[in-house]
Amino acid sequence: ESGEVEGKYKPLYEEGMNPFQKFRMKEKARQYAELSVPERITFNLSSFFLSNALYRKFLFFYMVMLHVLVFTTVYSFALMSNKASCPRFIAVDAATAGTAPSVAVAAAAAAAASAAS
């Protein structure tokens, strides 16, 4: 029975006595202590998200969705600025200024038809 206990705990005991392991742990603790507060926060957050496959997947899809949001926003602003600088849209807006919406739609259709011919 004592052989079983010895065999079970001997690797743990030897690992604790390993000078290379002790040195590595001391160096890790020293390097962590030298980090600034923002670096510690970044290190802890990255360790948290990279520690589990589910967290990594969540982070990946979150980043993809943020990129999609930014690209669609930039694209929509580009379309709006293009519309504002296009002479055809400026002429339609000037022709329909101060009119009722139905008249504005008719005037826009007429302006588009005259521009097409």
Side-chain angles (χ1 to χ4, degrees):
E1 182 176 322
S2 69
E4 288 178 24
V5 173
E6 235 177 78
K8 183 178 180 181
Y9 291 105
K10 187 175 180 179
L12 293 174
Y13 175 75
E14 288 177 358
E15 185 179 306
M17 297 299 289
N18 186 352
F20 298 111
Q21 183 72 13
K22 284 184 180 180
F23 176 75
R24 189 172 70 83
M25 294 303 286
K26 281 184 185 178
E27 282 298 303
K28 251 182 155 175
R30 183 188 62 78
Q31 289 172 347
Y32 185 78
E34 289 177 357
L35 293 176
S36 66
V37 174
E39 290 172 334
R40 284 185 193 179
I41 291 171
T42 304
F43 178 77
N44 289 331
L45 281 175
S46 63
S47 296
F48 173 76
F49 279 109
L50 297 176
S51 67
N52 189 336
L54 183 64
Y55 299 150
R56 289 190 299 267
K57 288 177 188 174
F58 168 77
L59 190 62
F60 173 76
F61 287 113
Y62 178 74
M63 292 294 185
V64 167
M65 293 309 297
L66 281 179
H67 280 80
V68 167
L69 175 69
V70 168
F71 291 150
T72 55
T73 304
V74 169
Y75 182 73
S76 67
F77 280 131
L79 284 180
M80 285 190 289
S81 72
N82 189 21
K83 180 182 176 185
S85 64
C86 181
R88 183 174 140 224
F89 288 114
I90 293 172
V92 170
D93 288 341
T96 60
T99 60
S102 59
V103 175
V105 171
S114 66
S117 9

